[in-house]
Amino acid sequence: MWGMILSLVGDVVISISLALQKLAHNRLKAQGLKAQGGTVKRTAHLRMPVWWLGSFGMLAGEICNFVAYGDSNTPASVVTAMGCVGIIANNFISTLCLGASRHSP
């Protein structure tokens, strides 16, 4: 049971982390378009706290999944199946954080 809960929490944390990293890159892109020539340095995201928060969240989520696979009471097949929750969570979280519905395809 604990492995399943850890996997669910890990997948949601990973989804939030991905949205935060994408948010940081979108902010850089918006700033770069307003700057001289419209270019952004390749390592500019490393100076953004939002990007680092996303990176550490990603690490925490992956550790949760790793520990979930080690739980002797939860089969690996259940932990793997919980990965689909990450896809569903990513759909909702990215729409909320990134405002995907406001952009045209």
Side-chain angles (χ1 to χ4, degrees):
M1 182 69 175
W2 287 109
M4 189 171 70
I5 292 170
L6 273 175
S7 180
L8 289 171
V9 169
D11 288 334
V12 171
V13 168
I14 289 170
S15 296
I16 292 169
S17 300
L18 286 171
L20 289 174
Q21 286 182 327
K22 181 62 178 175
L23 182 65
H25 287 286
N26 285 349
R27 286 180 182 173
L28 278 177
K29 184 177 178 183
Q31 290 172 0
L33 295 175
K34 296 176 186 173
Q36 321 149 357
T39 59
V40 178
K41 283 179 66 174
R42 287 185 176 189
T43 59
H45 63 280
L46 296 176
R47 287 179 260 142
M48 298 187 74
V50 173
W51 188 85
W52 282 105
L53 183 64
S55 293
F56 288 124
M58 179 82 66
L59 180 66
E62 291 298 344
I63 288 172
C64 284
N65 277 332
F66 184 72
V67 172
Y69 277 108
D71 182 25
S72 60
N73 296 324
T74 308
S77 59
V78 172
V79 175
T80 303
M82 290 294 120
C84 70
V85 172
I87 296 170
I88 296 167
N90 196 19
N91 185 20
F92 291 108
I93 292 168
S94 64
T95 302
L96 291 174
C97 289
L98 303 175
S101 61
R102 293 180 293 185
H103 302 291
S104 60

